[in-house]
Each structure stands twice: as structure tokens, then as C-alpha cells.
């Protein structure tokens, strides 16, 4: 294993060894390295809680607080999704990676597992990997993120699909209105598309659970 991308742990689970075998078989183009939480005002503790950096300026105005909260959520999402990749889930884009109006999902080894866990978050504005933005901020990732649920499912032999049903449109430069995402213009459309394109063709008769 190259020294620039060592194995690491997520809540006690060592990851990356199997990913190297997958990469050698040509199943992955790149190997995810240990994600690093990056934010100018906060650090991440070992138990997944946000801590304000010593000496950072405390914001008092509501507009600045909202802007800071949005930037923290963006950093948290990147960090959590990095860990999801490290657990072996592959990131897919709907309708595809080249489209500007798109959303992402994460899917593990559906073709080899006999059981499937499909995770759907029901919070408007939430991202894959995040149960609750406010809980991530107030109580940490063990409560607000999906990492524990995904890890537990993988340990029990489940394949895992993390969907993104509430991302149905995006704001793009030069457009006055939001642009609908093809194959994800509604939660129902998103779920049916993922099932038809990513799950049903690979594995029929799989035992499933919704979360």
C-alpha cells in the first residue's frame, strides 16, 4: 500500500485494504484517502464533534452566522462523504458526472451481497451521509451522520445504497431559476431511477431494508 494513502479507521473499522484489491481488479480508478476536515474556524475531535478553533473570531450578526453555518455544513458533507468512499461505497452521479445539474449517490457491492440496505434521508437540503445538519453541529457525527449505520450494515453483510431524493434542482450561474435534475426532478423520480438503473439490473430477489 503506497505511503501517501495508508489504511485508516472509521469508528474502529479499518478500511482501504479491500479497496486496493478492487483497484487492482480495475473496479476503481482511484483509491480514496483518509478525509480531512477543513474549515477556517472549526476542527473535528476524535469522537466526531466540532470544536471552535482557539482564537477564532466569534460571529455575532445573523447573516454572518448563517454564512458560517453553511460553510461548516459544506465542510462536514465533504468529510462524511470522504469516509463513505473509504468504506468502499462508490459515488455515482445522476444523470451523469458531466452534467452541471446533477446529484450524487453512494452504492456498495450490490452484485455480491445477499442483503441490501437502502438509506433515504427525509430532510430538505440534506446530503447523502447526513441525517441531520443541526445534529451534526450540536451533537457530532455519531448522532447526525449515517456513518455508524453504514458501518453496521456492512459488518452484517449488507450492501448499502445511500440515496439523495431531496436534491431535485440546482442553481447555476446565468440562470434566474433553478434547473431541474434529469432523473431526479422529484423524490419519487429519484428513487425509481436509482432502483431501475443501479439496483434491479444487478441483483434481483435481494432481501432489502429501508432506513
Amino acid at each position: 500500500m503506497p505511503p501517501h494513502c495508508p489504511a485508516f479507521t472509521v469508528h474502529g473499522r479499518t478500511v482501504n485494504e479491500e479497496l486496493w484489491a478492487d483497484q487492482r481488479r480495475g473496479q476503481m480508478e482511484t483509491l480514496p484517502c483518509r478525509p480531512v476536515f477543513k474549515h477556517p474556524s472549526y476542527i473535528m475531535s476524535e469522537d466526531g464533534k466540532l470544536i471552535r478553533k482557539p482564537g477564532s473570531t466569534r460571529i455575532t450578526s445573523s447573516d454572518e452566522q448563517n454564512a458560517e453555518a453553511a460553510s461548516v455544513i459544506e465542510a462536514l458533507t465533504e468529510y462524511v462523504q470522504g469516509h463513505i468512499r473509504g468504506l468502499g461505497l462508490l459515488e455515482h452521479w445522476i444523470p451523469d458526472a458531466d452534467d452541471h445539474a446533477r446529484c450524487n449517490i453512494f452504492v456498495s457491492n450490490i452484485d455480491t451481497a445477499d442483503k441490501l440496505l437502502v438509506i433515504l434521508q427525509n430532510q430538505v437540503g440534506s446530503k447523502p451521509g447526513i441525517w441531520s445538519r443541526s445534529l451534526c453541529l450540536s451533537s457530532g457525527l455519531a448522532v447526525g451522520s449515517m456513518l455508524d449505520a453504514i458501518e453496521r450494515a456492512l459488518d452484517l453483510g449488507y450492501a448499502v445504497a445511500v440515496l439523495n431524493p431531496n436534491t431535485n434542482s440546482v442553481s447555476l450561474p446565468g440562470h434566474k431559476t433553478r434547473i431541474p435534475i434529469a432523473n431526479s426532478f422529484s423524490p419519487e423520480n429519484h428513487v425509481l431511477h436509482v432502483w431501475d438503473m443501479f439496483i434491479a439490473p444487478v441483483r434481483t430477489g435481494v432481501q432489502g431494508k429501508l432506513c
Side-chain angles (χ1 to χ4, degrees):
M1 186 176 298
H4 69 279
C5 190
F8 58 94
T9 59
V10 179
H11 299 285
R13 179 189 180 92
T14 302
V15 299
N16 272 7
E17 291 93 337
E18 294 180 0
L19 296 184
W20 277 103
D22 290 341
Q23 188 185 39
R24 287 194 297 270
R25 290 193 294 268
Q27 296 179 14
M28 298 183 67
E29 296 181 359
T30 59
L31 178 69
C33 293
R34 180 184 179 90
V36 177
F37 180 78
K38 298 179 181 179
H39 191 273
S41 301
Y42 288 88
I43 59 175
M44 180 74 66
S45 68
E46 289 295 328
D47 59 353
K49 294 183 178 179
L50 287 174
I51 302 173
R52 181 174 283 275
K53 292 180 179 179
S56 63
T57 303
R58 290 196 172 273
I59 296 173
T60 57
S61 74
S62 59
D63 288 343
E64 290 178 330
Q65 288 175 349
N66 291 336
E68 182 181 73
S71 68
V72 172
I73 291 299
E74 182 178 354
L76 276 173
T77 300
E78 183 176 348
Y79 179 78
V80 168
Q81 292 185 357
H83 273 299
I84 292 175
R85 297 184 193 97
L87 288 171
L89 280 71
L90 297 180
E91 185 175 26
H92 299 276
W93 293 93
I94 299 174
D96 57 61
D98 296 328
D99 202 305
H100 294 295
R102 62 182 186 174
C103 65
N104 61 337
I105 63 171
F106 294 88
V107 181
S108 70
N109 56 327
I110 293 178
D111 57 332
T112 58
D114 294 325
K115 300 178 290 185
L116 171 64
L117 175 68
V118 179
I119 300 179
L120 306 169
Q121 76 276 31
N122 191 31
Q123 294 287 334
V124 176
S126 289
K127 301 297 183 181
I130 304 293
W131 289 123
S132 167
R133 294 169 293 178
S134 60
L135 284 176
C136 282
L137 295 174
S138 63
S139 302
L141 299 185
V143 178
S145 81
M146 301 175 185
L147 290 177
D148 282 348
I150 295 171
E151 178 193 351
R152 178 64 172 161
L154 294 173
D155 286 341
L156 291 174
Y158 281 85
V160 179
V162 183
L163 277 57
N164 193 0
N166 290 309
T167 302
N168 309 126
S169 62
V170 297
S171 297
L172 295 176
H175 295 268
K176 295 182 179 180
T177 59
R178 295 178 65 85
I179 305 301
I181 298 174
N183 300 319
S184 185
F185 57 80
S186 71
E188 296 83 1
N189 177 240
H190 176 93
V191 173
L192 288 173
H193 175 76
V194 172
W195 187 270
D196 289 343
M197 297 302 296
F198 294 92
I199 299 175
V202 178
R203 193 77 177 181
T204 58
V206 64
Q207 176 186 350
K209 288 183 179 292
L210 291 177
C211 184

